[in-house]
């Protein structure tokens, strides 16, 4: 399948090309890296039965994966830049495969710990490389939809883990199945990435210009790619002048990129989504749902998560990133206030009380509305936006920053949630609602629309924004070799 399109920029830049079946299949295979993060994200929820006793040591074991992912993201940045996006994805799948097998066949705590750390390295590598790969392979016109395939796979991984946990919860060795089956998506990614081609950007970056042009022709479905190919070469030449990407991204001229690569993942975790996704069974059981009912409720929210992600895939390139950020923020804020108020009325500060069947279903309804809002806004956009806003010379460093901040605060939320729930009670939902309000205001004021802008021309976006223009010097040259005015 190939449809003729112009890969266009709202600033007048256009590349001729088609949306080919090759690029769609390639991006789908690459997006499977999200399965690893999604599966292990909710697989932690299965272990969180330990965490209901507020045992910090056991919680640390569960959330240690995210510390390992944080550390891995810095190594993955170098791998992604020097060996290519494809190699980094393969490494991530291999780390996750070995870790899942060690956990599934564990006979002692040492095997579980080593397996858990390897899972973290797999997540770190895939979260670093996959969004960048998708953004570089996709035409600008559908970059958002294809990049969100990563988030789609995360939600499918969460749903799959929920379903597996539901059916294995009463089995004596059910935990082995839940932990070991994570090897399946890892195998799919390893095999898939082995057959994938690398991105033209990465191939040019590593001196493979002839192969890069052939790949660009293949993914665009046309022979005449000279204009876009020259722009990629120009971007690569500029990138080669940068000896220390980590040092450079802290320069004033990259302040917009560093800000969004840091604050978007920070805010994404402070929405409170992982309170639901980590501990949904425990949370629902605490609120009066039965054992099986709590697990089934987690399956329901996981299903909503998957379906709602389709909304973002079909709307992000039509309506843009900003409107999804804002609508999702407003909807999450309202739902959190309602859920917090319902729990406050029924449980108070004593924590004693229960929901009627109707009230429990109403609570579940508003939680599903909250999950759906996240799934079509801050969930996928949290991976899309940081991967598309950085110019090539700091792209690996920017994505590594995004992953590191994301993993750090994922770890933080996983580690302290049960203690916070114990002390803040219903106030926990108001706590996260406050952050949702702050981050929504932040988007209103500081986020410029990046829809339909080729990733090598993002400097124009910053230069035209009332606030960020003061950080981007007039001497910055775009890929037309013209000073950004």
């Amino acid at each position: 399948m190939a449809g003729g399109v112009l890969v266009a920029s709202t600033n007048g830049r256009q590349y001729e090309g088609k949306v080919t079946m090759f690029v769609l299949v390639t991006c789908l295979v690459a997006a499977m890296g999200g399965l690893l993060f999604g599966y292990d994200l909710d697989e932690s929820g299965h272990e969180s039965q330990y965490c209901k006793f507020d045992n910090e040591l056991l919680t640390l074991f569960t959330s240690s994966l995210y510390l390992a992912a944080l550390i891995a993201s810095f190594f993955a940045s170098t791998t992604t830049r020097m060996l290519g996006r494809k190699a980094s994805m393969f490494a991530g799948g291999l780390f996750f495969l070995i870790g899942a097998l060690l956990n599934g066949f564990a006979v002692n705590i040492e095997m579980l710990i080593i397996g858990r750390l390897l899972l973290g390295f797999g997540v770190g590598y895939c979260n670093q490389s996959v969004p960048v790969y998708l953004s570089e392979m996709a035409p600008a016109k559908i970059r958002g939809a294809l990049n969100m395939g990563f988030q789609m796979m995360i939600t499918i991984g969460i749903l799959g883990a929920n379903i597996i946990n539901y059916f294995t919860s009463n089995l004596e060795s059910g935990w082995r199945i839940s932990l070991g089956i994570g090897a399946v998506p890892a195998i799919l990614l390893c095999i898939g990435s082995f057959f994938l081609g690398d991105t033209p950007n990465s191939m040019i970056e590593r001196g493979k210009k002839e192969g890069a042009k052939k790949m660009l022709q293949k993914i665009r479905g046309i022979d005449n790619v000279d204009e876009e190919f020259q722009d990629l070469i120009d971007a690569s030449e500029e990138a080669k002048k940068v000896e220390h990407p980590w040092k450079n991204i802290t320069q004033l001229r990259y302040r917009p990129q560093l800000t969004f690569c840091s604050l978007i993942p920070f805010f994404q975790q402070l929405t409170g989504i992982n309170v639901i996704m980590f501990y949904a069974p425990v949370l629902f059981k605490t609120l009066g749902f039965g054992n099986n009912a709590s697990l089934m409720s987690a399956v329901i929210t996981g299903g909503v998560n998957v379906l709602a992600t389709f909304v973002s895939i079909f709307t992000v390139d039509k309506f843009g990133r900003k409107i999804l950020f804002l609508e999702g923020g407003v909807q999450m804020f309202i739902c959190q206030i309602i859920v917090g108020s319902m729990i406050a009325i029924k449980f108070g500060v004593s924590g004693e009380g229960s929901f009627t069947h109707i009230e429990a279903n109403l609570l579940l309804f508003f939680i599903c509305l909250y999950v759906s809002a996240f799934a079509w806004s801050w969930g996928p956009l949290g991976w899309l936006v940081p991967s598309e806003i950085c110019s090539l010379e700091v792209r690996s460093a920017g994505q590594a920053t995004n992953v590191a901040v994301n993993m750090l605060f994922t770890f933080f939320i996983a580690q302290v949630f049960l203690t916070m729930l114990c002390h803040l009670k219903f106030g926990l939902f108001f706590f996260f609602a406050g952050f949702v309000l702050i981050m929504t205001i932040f988007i209103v004021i500081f986020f410029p629309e990046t829809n339909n802008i080729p990733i090598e021309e993002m400097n124009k976006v910053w230069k035209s924004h009332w606030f960020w223009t003061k950080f981007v010097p007039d001497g910055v040259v775009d890929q037309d070799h013209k000073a950004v005015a």
Side-chain angles (χ1 to χ4, degrees):
M1 179 185 73
V5 298
L6 283 176
V7 183
S9 162
T10 55
N11 287 329
R13 194 68 165 167
Q14 295 186 336
Y15 301 129
E16 187 179 352
K18 301 175 181 178
V19 181
T20 64
M21 178 59 75
F22 175 78
V23 78
L24 294 177
V25 173
T26 297
C27 288
L28 176 62
V29 173
M32 284 194 299
L35 278 172
L36 307 186
F37 187 29
Y39 183 85
D40 202 88
L41 183 68
D42 201 80
E43 173 244 306
S44 301
H46 187 74
E47 293 180 359
S48 70
Q49 295 298 324
Y50 296 111
C51 304
K52 64 184 179 180
F53 301 108
D54 200 14
N55 186 314
E56 288 295 324
L57 183 61
L58 290 174
T59 310
L60 179 61
F61 170 75
T62 298
S63 54
S64 61
L65 176 145
Y66 305 104
L67 280 183
L70 188 158
I71 296 171
S73 65
F74 297 104
F75 292 99
S77 173
T78 301
T79 304
T80 302
R81 187 177 69 256
M82 298 183 65
L83 300 181
R85 287 60 163 147
K86 173 182 171 178
S88 191
M89 286 191 292
F90 179 80
L94 192 61
F95 277 126
F96 201 94
L97 173 61
I98 297 172
L101 292 176
L102 281 175
N103 278 349
F105 292 102
V107 295
N108 53 46
I109 190 64
E110 288 81 8
M111 286 183 68
L112 282 172
I113 292 174
I114 294 173
R116 192 77 179 158
L117 294 176
L118 287 174
L119 290 176
F121 268 80
V123 168
Y125 264 79
C126 287
N127 286 1
Q128 159 71 24
S129 56
V130 173
V132 171
Y133 183 94
L134 294 171
S135 286
E136 291 183 345
M137 289 293 279
K141 192 174 183 68
I142 58 168
R143 184 176 63 237
L146 291 184
N147 191 288
M148 284 181 174
F150 182 70
Q151 176 68 14
M152 172 59 66
M153 291 299 177
I154 290 178
T155 63
I156 291 174
I158 292 172
L159 177 61
N162 272 328
I163 294 173
I164 291 168
N165 289 342
Y166 178 77
F167 285 107
T168 61
S169 60
N170 295 321
L171 299 179
E172 184 177 351
S173 298
W175 64 274
R176 289 189 182 276
I177 298 174
S178 291
L179 293 173
I181 208 168
V184 174
I187 290 173
L188 292 176
L189 181 63
C190 284
I191 295 175
S193 61
F194 184 77
F195 290 101
L196 291 178
D198 220 331
T199 70
N201 311 64
S202 178
M203 296 172 76
I204 292 172
E205 195 174 25
R206 291 176 288 126
K208 301 179 179 180
K209 293 183 180 180
E210 185 176 343
K213 187 170 185 178
K214 290 180 180 178
M215 177 58 69
L216 188 61
Q217 291 171 332
K218 191 173 184 179
I219 63 179
R220 296 295 181 253
I222 58 174
D223 292 328
N224 183 17
V225 294
D226 293 345
E227 185 178 12
E228 184 176 3
F229 183 65
Q230 186 59 51
D231 284 349
L232 295 181
I233 291 178
D234 292 342
S236 179
E237 292 302 319
E238 288 297 314
K240 288 178 180 178
K241 297 177 183 179
V242 179
E243 297 181 3
H244 306 288
W246 286 102
K247 181 179 179 180
N248 270 66
I249 200 172
T250 62
Q251 292 179 1
L252 200 62
R253 62 187 292 180
Y254 297 114
R255 190 57 45 83
Q257 294 92 327
L258 181 60
T259 298
F260 285 103
C261 285
S262 301
L263 288 186
I264 284 182
F266 167 76
F267 283 136
Q268 186 193 57
Q269 296 309 308
L270 268 295
T271 59
I273 187 63
N274 284 335
V275 171
I276 302 298
M277 293 306 170
F278 276 145
Y279 301 111
V282 175
L283 179 63
F284 288 134
K285 186 176 179 181
T286 301
L287 297 176
F289 293 72
N291 281 325
N292 289 335
S294 65
L295 285 169
M296 180 52 71
S297 297
V299 171
I300 292 172
T301 56
V304 169
N305 200 15
V306 172
L307 293 175
T309 303
F310 278 106
V311 175
S312 62
I313 289 176
F314 289 111
T315 59
V316 67
D317 292 313
K318 183 177 182 180
F319 299 110
R321 284 68 162 144
K322 191 164 187 173
I323 187 65
L324 289 181
F325 267 134
L326 299 181
E327 193 285 332
V330 171
Q331 186 171 324
M332 283 190 291
F333 177 78
I334 293 172
C335 290
Q336 284 170 316
I337 294 299
I338 292 175
V339 169
S341 298
M342 288 181 65
I343 296 174
I345 293 171
K346 300 300 293 187
F347 288 83
V349 294
S350 67
E352 297 178 0
S354 63
F355 286 114
T356 66
H357 181 71
I358 294 177
E359 290 168 339
N361 286 334
L362 185 62
L363 182 76
L364 179 59
F365 171 75
F366 282 109
I367 287 178
C368 286
L369 276 183
Y370 162 79
V371 170
S372 66
F374 177 85
W376 64 53
S377 62
W378 281 85
L381 292 174
W383 296 107
L384 167 61
V385 171
S387 72
E388 70 179 1
I389 62 175
C390 292
S391 48
L392 186 61
E393 63 267 22
V394 293
R395 191 169 298 153
S396 292
Q399 183 63 11
T401 301
N402 177 38
V403 175
V405 174
N406 192 298
M407 293 299 105
L408 176 63
F409 284 93
T410 301
F411 165 79
F412 174 76
I413 295 298
Q415 188 64 25
V416 305
F417 162 67
L418 291 168
T419 300
M420 291 176 69
L421 181 62
C422 177
H423 294 284
L424 294 180
K425 302 179 175 63
F426 60 83
L428 183 63
F429 291 90
F430 300 140
F431 172 82
F432 287 120
F435 274 99
V436 171
L437 179 62
I438 292 171
M439 69 196 205
T440 302
I441 295 173
F442 170 78
I443 291 296
V444 170
I445 298 174
F446 296 109
F447 182 70
E449 183 57 67
T450 58
N451 186 33
N452 243 359
I453 308 295
I455 57 177
E456 307 304 339
E457 294 193 6
M458 283 294 169
N459 277 330
K460 292 181 179 180
V461 175
W462 311 121
K463 194 60 185 174
S464 62
H465 188 270
W466 71 271
F467 181 78
W468 299 118
T469 185
K470 66 183 72 173
F471 297 98
V472 181
D474 292 333
V476 170
V477 178
D478 67 9
Q479 302 312 310
D480 288 321
H481 301 286
K482 299 175 184 176
V484 176

